[in-house]
C-alpha cells in the first residue's frame, strides 16, 4: 500500500528544511568574521547577503509546530534529501558573488562537492582567493562531513521532530547514545577536539616548512578540515603539493585515515574500548583492501620504473592510493599525471575509490562494512554448501559488538553496492559520450559517485554542462547512500507521475 | 513581505557578475610566445620537456617556502601553479606575491623541468638557474558594486522586519503561556 501525500507533509518537510537552512546561514558568521579580521570587506558583504537569504528563507517556510503532523521515516528521508539541495543553492550565494565562478551552476557544483566531501572544484583563479572564502570552502567540507542535518539537529533538537529518522536519511544511522541529542553532540565533540589537535600539529609543521605564522594557522585548520572530513579541498591550485613537504603529506595521510573511520569506532575508542581496534570488521576490511591496492600500485610502478626510491613511491603513490581509498581526494601529483599512471596502479586507485571508507563516517564509496558483509555472505554460502544438509550454519561479524550475519543484511549491502556501480557506469558512459577516453571517464565518474575528488583532468569549468549536472547528482546520491533519493523520486512520482493516483496538494 | 523576500533572493541569484577569474585567464592564456611556457603547458606536456631547459612565465604565487639556502616558489598561470626549486637569493627581485589583495609580479624563470625529480622525491617541478621580473605586480583595490550594496541593505531590512516580528510574537506567546499558567493555578486553587 502506498501512502497518501497531503499539504501537511509538504509543510512539515519545508518547515524543517527552512530550519536547517537558517542554521547553515548562521554558520556563515564564521567566514564573515574571518573576512572582517583580514579587512576583506567586499567578501564580508557577500556573506552578509548569504546570511540574510538563509534567514529570510527560514522565516518564509516557518510553520507553527502544533499545525504539523508527527514526522515519519518518509519525512526524515525527504528532509535529508531535499535539504542538501537547498543547502547547496543557498550556500553558493557567497561563492557566486565572489566572482570566482563562471556561472551559478559552477558555484552549486563546488558547494555540492564540498558538502558531500568530494573535493572536485570548478573554482577559478585560486591563488587570489580571500581568506573569508577559503574559510567557507573548508568549513562547508567540515560541516558536510559531520552531516548538515546532524549540525541542525544538535542545535534545533527541540523543534525538529523525527530527529533519528532525518539522521538516517543522511546516512548516519549509528546511534552512539540512547538520545539523539547526545549522539549528535558526541559526533561534534569528537570532531572539534580532533580539529584542535590536528590544527596544532599542522600549524607546527607549517612553521617548520616555511609558512608565515598566520598562514600556518589558517592552512593548518583548513587542511585538517579537508583531510578529517575526507573532503580534499585545499586553499591553493596545487592542492597539498603546494607545501612541497613530506611531513605535511604524512600528517594529512594519517588524519584522512582516522577521519574515514566510523563515528561509532571513534566513540568506542574515545570511551576507552581500544580492543575494538583489533576486532572491528571495517578496520580489518580497510587494512586488507588498502594493503592489496598498495601492492598492486607498487607492482605497477615497479614494472614501469616510474619512481626509483621508497620515499618517492610513498609520497607519489601510496599517498594517492590512501587518498583514493579514504575518498579524500588530496593529491601529490597533477591531475594529468593520473592519466599517465601505469594501468595496474590506475586500476588500483579506481577500485580503492569505489570501495571507499567506513559507513557512518565522512567517507564515501560502497563502504568497508558492506564489502566485509558481502564477503562474509559469500563465505557463509560456501560454508553452507560444504556442511551436511541438516547442519545449521551461522556466521558472525564484529562491529562494536557481535552481530549474526542475516541474509537480509547481505541483500541490503549488495543492493547498495549495485546502486553505486550503476552510477559509476552511467557516469562513465556520459563521459565517453562527451568525448573522453574510457579510463579517464571511468576514473572521474567513480571519483564523483564515491565522493573522492581525485581528478584525471576532466573536471574543470570548461567541462560540458551535462557532466556538471550529472556529477552533482552522483555526488548527492552517493553521499546520501541512495535511500533518501529513492524516497524523493517516489514522492515526485506520487505527485506528478500517475495522473489517476496523483494525490493533490490540498 | 513574502513576495518581496522571494523577489530579493531571486534578484541575488540573478545578480550580474564581474568575473575576476576571466580577467586573470586572459592575462596568462594569451597566444604562446616562442620559448616561453606556462605552468599548464609544462605540466601537460612534461614528457616533451622532461630533463630539458625551459623558460617559464607566470605570477609569483602566495609566498616562497624557505628550506635552508633554497626556496620553493610556486608560479601561477591563471589556472594552476608549478613548484620551482631555486637558491634563496634568486627571489630577491620579487616584490609582490599573489593574494586576495595583491597581484604578484610576473616573472620569467629559466630552469630544467623534471617529470619525477629524484632530488624532491619524485615531484614534477623545475630547478631554476635564473629569474627575472617581467612586470611588477601591485595592490588590487576592493570592488563594491552599487547593486550589491543596495541588495545587502534591502535584504538586511527584510531580515530585520522578520526578526522583530518573531521577537514580538515570541514575547506574546510567552506572556500568553504565563497567563494561562496563572489562570490554571487560580482555577486549581478554586477547586481546592
Amino acid at each position: 500500500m502506498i501512502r497518501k501525500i497531503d499539504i501537511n507533509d509538504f509543510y512539515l518537510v519545508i518547515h524543517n528544511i527552512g530550519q536547517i537552512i537558517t542554521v547553515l546561514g548562521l554558520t556563515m558568521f564564521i567566514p564573515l568574521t574571518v573576512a572582517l579580521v583580514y579587512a576583506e570587506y567586499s567578501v564580508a558583504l557577500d556573506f552578509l547577503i548569504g546570511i540574510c537569504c538563509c534567514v529570510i528563507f527560514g522565516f518564509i517556510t516557518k510553520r507553527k509546530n502544533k499545525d504539523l503532523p508527527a514526522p515519519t521515516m518518509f519525512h526524515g528521508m525527504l528532509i535529508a534529501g531535499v535539504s542538501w539541495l537547498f543547502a547547496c543553492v543557498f550556500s553558493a550565494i557567497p561563492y557566486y558573488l565572489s566572482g570566482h565562478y563562471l556561472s551559478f551552476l559552477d558555484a552549486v557544483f563546488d558547494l555540492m562537492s564540498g558538502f558531500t566531501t568530494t573535493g572536485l572544484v570548478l573554482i577559478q583563479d585560486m591563488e587570489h582567493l580571500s581568506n573569508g572564502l577559503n574559510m567557507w570552502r573548508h568549513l562547508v567540507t567540515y560541516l558536510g562531513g559531520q552531516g548538515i542535518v546532524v549540525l541542525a539537529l544538535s542545535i534545533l533538537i527541540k523543534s525538529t521532530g523525527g530527529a533519528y529518522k532525518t539522521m538516517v536519511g543522511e546516512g548516519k544511522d549509528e546511534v552512539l547514545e540512547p538520545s539523539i541529542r547526545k549522539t549528535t553532540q558526541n559526533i561534534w565533540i569528537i570532531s572539534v577536539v580532533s580539529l584542535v589537535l590536528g590544527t596544532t600539529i599542522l600549524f607546527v609543521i607549517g612553521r617548520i616548512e616555511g609558512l608565515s605564522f598566520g598562514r600556518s594557522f589558517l592552512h593548518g585548520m583548513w587542511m585538517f578540515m579537508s583531510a578529517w572530513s575526507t573532503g580534499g579541498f585545499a586553499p591553493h591550485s596545487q592542492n597539498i603539493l603546494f607545501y612541497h613537504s613530506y611531513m605535511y603529506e604524512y600528517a594529512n595521510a594519517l588524519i584522512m585515515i582516522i577521519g574515514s573511520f566510523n563515528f561509532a569506532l571513534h566513540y568506542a575508542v574515545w570511551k576507552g574500548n581500544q580492543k575494538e581496534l583489533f576486532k572491528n570488521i571495517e578496520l580489518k576490511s580497510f587494512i586488507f583492501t588498502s594493503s592489496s591496492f598498495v601492492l598492486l600500485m607498487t607492482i605497477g610502478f615497479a614494472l614501469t620504473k616510474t619512481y626509483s626510491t621508497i620515499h618517492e613511491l610513498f609520497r607519489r603513490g601510496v599517498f594517492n592510493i590512501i587518498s583514493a581509498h579514504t575518498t579524500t581526494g588530496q593529491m601529490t601529483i597533477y591531475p594529468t599525471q593520473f592519466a599517465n599512471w601505469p594501468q595496474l596502479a590506475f586500476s588500483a586507485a579506481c577500485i580503492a575509490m569505489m570501495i571507499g571508507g567506513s559507513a557512518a563516517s565522512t567517507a564515501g564509496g560502497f563502504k568497508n562494512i558492506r564489502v566485509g558483509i558481502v564477503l562474509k555472505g559469500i563465505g557463509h554460502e560456501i560454508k553452507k554448501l560444504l556442511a551436511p544438509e541438516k547442519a545449521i550454519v551461522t556466521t558472525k561479524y564484529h562491529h562494536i559488538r557481535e552481530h549474526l550475519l542475516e541474509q537480509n543484511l547481505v541483500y541490503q549491502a549488495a543492493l547498495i553496492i549495485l546502486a553505486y556501480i550503476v552510477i559509476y557506469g552511467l557516469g562513465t558512459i556520459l563521459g565517453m559520450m562527451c568525448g573522453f577516453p574510457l579510463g579517464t571517464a571511468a576514473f572521474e565518474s567513480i571519483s564523483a559517485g564515491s565522493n573522492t575528488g581525485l581528478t584525471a583532468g576532466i573536471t574543470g569549468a570548461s567541462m560540458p554542462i551535462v557532466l556538471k549536472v550529472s556529477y552533482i547528482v552522483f555526488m548527492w546520491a552517493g553521499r546520501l547512500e541512495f535511500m533518501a533519493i529513492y524516497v524523493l523520486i517516489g514522492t515526485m512520482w506520487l505527485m506528478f507521475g500517475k495522473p489517476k493516483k496523483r494525490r493533490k496538494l490540498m | 513581505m513574502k513576495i518581496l523576500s522571494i523577489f530579493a533572493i531571486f534578484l541575488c541569484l540573478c545578480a550580474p557578475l564581474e568575473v575576476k577569474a576571466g580577467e586573470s585567464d586572459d592575462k596568462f592564456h594569451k597566444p604562446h610566445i616562442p620559448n616561453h611556457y606556462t605552468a599548464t603547458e609544462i605540466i601537460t606536456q612534461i614528457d616533451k620537456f622532461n630533463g630539458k631547459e625551459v623558460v617559464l612565465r607566470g605570477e609569483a604565487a602566495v609566498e616562497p617556502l624557505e628550506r635552508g639556502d633554497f626556496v620553493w616558489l610556486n608560479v601561477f598561470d591563471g589556472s594552476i601553479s608549478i613548484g620551482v626549486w631555486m637558491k634563496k637569493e634568486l627571489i630577491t627581485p620579487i616584490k609582490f606575491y599573489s593574494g586576495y589583495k595583491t597581484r604578484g609580479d610576473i616573472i620569467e624563470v629559466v630552469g630544467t623541468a623534471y617529470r619525477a625529480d629524484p632530488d624532491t622525491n619524485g615531484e614534477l617541478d623545475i630547478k631554476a638557474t635564473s629569474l627575472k621580473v617581467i612586470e611588477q605586480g601591485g595592490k588590487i583595490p576592493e570592488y563594491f558594486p552599487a547593486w550589491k550594496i543596495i541588495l545587502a541593505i534591502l535584504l538586511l531590512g527584510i531580515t530585520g522586519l522578520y526578526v522583530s516580528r518573531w521577537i514580538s510574537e515570541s514575547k506574546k506567546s510567552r506572556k500568553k503561556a504565563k497567563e494561562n499558567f496563572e489562570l490554571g493555578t487560580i482555577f486549581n486553587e478554586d477547586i481546592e
Side-chain angles (χ1 to χ4, degrees):
Chain A
M1 189 178 154
I2 296 172
R3 77 185 311 280
K4 290 177 182 178
I5 295 173
D6 63 24
I7 191 74
N8 286 326
D9 293 315
F10 172 75
Y11 281 150
L12 176 73
V13 171
I14 202 77
H15 166 83
N16 280 282
I17 290 170
Q19 302 249 303
I20 291 166
I21 298 301
T22 307
V23 172
L24 203 62
L26 297 178
T27 60
M28 284 187 201
F29 274 107
I30 299 170
L32 175 76
T33 312
V34 172
L36 289 175
V37 167
Y38 284 91
E40 298 161 347
Y41 300 115
S42 174
V43 181
L45 195 66
D46 298 342
F47 281 105
L48 191 67
I49 292 172
I51 292 168
C52 289
C53 289
C54 292
V55 174
I56 292 169
F57 179 75
F59 277 115
I60 293 173
T61 54
K62 197 169 164 54
R63 289 282 174 279
K64 283 179 183 164
N65 278 336
K66 61 177 182 181
D67 301 336
L68 300 172
T72 60
M73 187 63 92
F74 165 78
H75 296 117
M77 291 284 173
L78 218 51
I79 293 163
V82 184
S83 63
W84 278 67
L85 292 181
F86 276 86
C88 286
V89 170
F90 279 94
S91 307
I93 293 170
Y95 265 38
Y96 181 58
L97 295 175
S98 72
H100 282 276
Y101 289 90
L102 300 181
S103 69
F104 191 70
L105 181 70
D106 287 9
V108 171
F109 181 98
D110 268 24
L111 244 305
M112 185 58 91
S113 174
F115 274 130
T116 56
T117 72
T118 305
L120 293 170
V121 290
L122 301 182
I123 197 165
Q124 303 286 295
D125 198 19
M126 281 185 79
E127 309 300 349
H128 292 99
L129 280 186
S130 62
N131 287 316
L133 196 68
N134 254 328
M135 184 73 224
W136 185 229
R137 291 178 67 230
H138 292 87
L139 189 65
V140 156
T141 311
Y142 189 62
L143 297 178
Q146 322 317 310
I148 50 172
V149 172
V150 170
L151 165 77
L153 289 179
S154 50
I155 297 166
L156 299 167
I157 206 81
K158 280 178 191 164
S159 54
T160 306
Y164 174 70
K165 289 139 194 165
T166 317
M167 224 169 100
V168 171
E170 204 178 35
K172 294 255 188 309
D173 50 356
E174 294 279 5
V175 179
L176 311 180
E177 293 278 348
S179 128
I180 293 299
R181 189 187 182 91
K182 200 90 178 123
T183 299
T184 55
Q185 279 176 353
N186 279 327
I187 289 177
W188 277 106
I189 289 168
I190 293 168
S191 299
V192 172
V193 170
S194 309
L195 175 68
V196 174
L197 279 173
T199 304
T200 312
I201 293 166
L202 292 178
F203 166 77
V204 173
I205 296 174
R207 290 296 290 151
I208 295 168
E209 297 292 36
L211 283 176
S212 59
F213 187 88
R215 213 182 291 276
S216 289
F217 172 70
L218 284 178
H219 283 220
M221 181 166 58
W222 295 337
M223 290 307 283
F224 174 84
M225 285 176 168
S226 164
W228 176 260
S229 61
T230 63
F233 278 170
H236 296 290
S237 62
Q238 290 152 290
N239 205 287
I240 199 166
L241 202 54
F242 169 85
Y243 305 98
H244 309 284
S245 160
Y246 71 90
M247 281 194 282
Y248 225 84
E249 287 160 17
Y250 290 157
N252 268 275
L254 192 66
I255 295 166
M256 61 175 102
I257 289 172
I258 299 170
S260 74
F261 293 156
N262 196 310
F263 279 111
L265 179 63
H266 281 279
Y267 192 62
V269 177
W270 181 272
K271 286 277 177 186
N273 182 12
Q274 272 84 6
K275 281 182 188 168
E276 186 60 31
L277 286 171
F278 304 99
K279 291 194 280 184
N280 194 286
I281 184 175
E282 280 188 302
L283 203 51
K284 281 182 184 171
S285 171
F286 177 79
I287 292 166
F288 172 73
T289 48
S290 50
S291 315
S292 312
F293 297 138
V294 166
L295 184 70
L296 277 178
M297 179 215 64
T298 310
I299 295 169
F301 279 125
L303 291 173
T304 54
K305 293 178 181 143
T306 313
Y307 298 119
S308 49
T309 65
I310 290 286
H311 207 39
E312 283 180 20
L313 191 71
F314 260 88
R315 286 188 70 185
R316 311 292 154 211
V318 177
F319 181 93
N320 291 305
I321 287 287
I322 296 287
S323 180
H325 199 9
T326 57
T327 71
T328 305
Q330 288 184 354
M331 297 167 76
T332 53
I333 54 172
Y334 292 98
T336 46
Q337 284 184 282
F338 256 124
N340 296 326
W341 264 28
Q343 290 296 314
L344 208 55
F346 188 78
S347 312
C350 285
I351 303 167
M353 285 195 290
M354 277 187 192
I355 294 173
S358 301
S361 74
T362 61
F366 304 156
K367 309 282 171 5
N368 289 311
I369 194 162
R370 294 203 183 96
V371 175
I373 285 172
V374 170
L375 289 178
K376 282 253 178 190
I378 294 169
H380 178 79
E381 289 303 317
I382 294 169
K383 261 196 320 191
K384 257 170 57 179
L385 287 171
L386 296 177
E389 242 174 71
K390 285 182 182 174
I392 298 169
V393 180
T394 57
T395 305
K396 285 181 179 176
Y397 68 94
H398 186 92
H399 174 60
I400 311 300
R401 57 180 192 280
E402 288 293 322
H403 297 266
L404 197 65
L405 190 76
E406 290 167 7
Q407 204 170 13
N408 194 34
L409 197 70
V410 180
Y411 169 75
Q412 280 176 1
L415 209 62
I416 292 183
I417 289 176
L418 186 69
Y420 274 106
I421 291 172
V422 168
I423 60 165
Y424 296 155
L426 201 63
T428 307
I429 292 167
L430 279 172
M432 285 165 66
M433 281 166 74
C434 291
F436 295 103
L438 170 69
T440 326
F443 188 89
E444 215 79 0
S445 166
I446 294 166
S447 179
S450 65
N451 304 129
T452 305
L454 291 175
T455 172
I458 292 181
T459 303
S462 59
M463 83 173 163
I465 289 179
V466 63
L467 277 187
K468 286 180 189 172
V469 174
S470 52
Y471 286 175
I472 288 175
V473 176
F474 296 159
M475 288 189 275
W476 176 52
R479 178 66 176 83
L480 296 180
E481 299 190 339
F482 304 99
M483 288 314 291
I485 316 299
Y486 293 153
V487 173
L488 186 64
I489 293 168
T491 309
M492 301 287 275
W493 180 75
L494 277 176
M495 284 165 66
F496 309 111
K498 272 193 159 183
K500 280 182 186 175
K501 287 190 177 179
R502 188 186 299 165
R503 309 291 172 196
K504 276 189 176 178
L505 290 175
M506 282 307 272
Chain B
M1 193 154 78
K2 278 186 185 175
I3 294 167
L4 187 67
S5 312
I6 292 164
F7 176 70
I9 293 175
F10 179 73
L11 201 72
C12 176
L13 297 181
C14 300
L17 259 186
E18 292 246 335
V19 181
K20 293 177 204 161
E23 290 170 15
S24 176
D25 274 1
D26 292 343
K27 193 169 27 190
F28 300 109
H29 291 164
K30 52 193 170 189
H32 179 68
I33 308 159
N35 302 324
H36 294 92
Y37 298 98
T38 62
T40 307
E41 284 168 334
I42 291 172
I43 293 164
T44 52
Q45 301 168 51
I46 191 63
D47 287 341
K48 185 175 124 188
F49 296 118
N50 190 27
K52 291 180 184 155
E53 189 172 84
V54 290
V55 181
L56 168 75
R57 188 178 279 197
E59 186 180 3
V62 193
E63 66 176 337
L65 301 164
E66 288 188 20
R67 307 284 159 85
D69 293 335
F70 289 84
V71 288
W72 272 113
L73 177 70
N74 296 304
V75 179
F76 185 52
D77 71 357
S79 68
I80 201 157
S81 301
I82 188 169
V84 181
W85 178 251
M86 62 180 84
K87 280 193 173 164
K88 206 196 279 184
E89 62 258 26
L90 285 182
I91 60 162
T92 39
I94 303 173
K95 283 209 173 88
F96 293 95
Y97 293 94
S98 72
Y100 172 65
K101 288 179 181 175
T102 49
R103 193 168 62 80
D105 291 347
I106 305 297
I107 55 168
E108 200 172 88
V109 174
V110 180
T112 311
Y114 291 95
R115 185 177 50 200
D117 189 348
D119 296 335
T120 55
N121 296 318
E123 186 168 333
L124 190 164
D125 61 15
I126 293 170
K127 274 201 187 109
T129 49
S130 72
L131 182 152
K132 65 176 175 185
V133 175
I134 301 293
E135 187 188 320
Q136 203 170 67
K139 299 267 177 206
I140 304 172
E142 276 210 289
Y143 177 57
F144 296 93
W147 63 264
K148 213 189 252 189
I149 297 169
I150 295 167
L151 187 68
I153 294 168
L154 179 72
L155 288 169
L156 212 57
I158 298 170
T159 311
L161 284 174
Y162 269 119
V163 172
S164 57
R165 201 174 80 175
W166 174 66
I167 291 170
S168 68
E169 274 177 7
S170 302
K171 270 183 187 172
K172 267 185 202 168
S173 63
R174 264 204 301 270
K175 201 176 164 188
K176 206 175 170 184
K178 201 177 166 188
E179 280 171 6
N180 286 344
F181 177 73
E182 281 166 2
L183 269 174
T185 317
I186 294 163
F187 182 69
N188 286 340
E189 279 170 2
D190 285 351
I191 291 172
E192 280 170 15

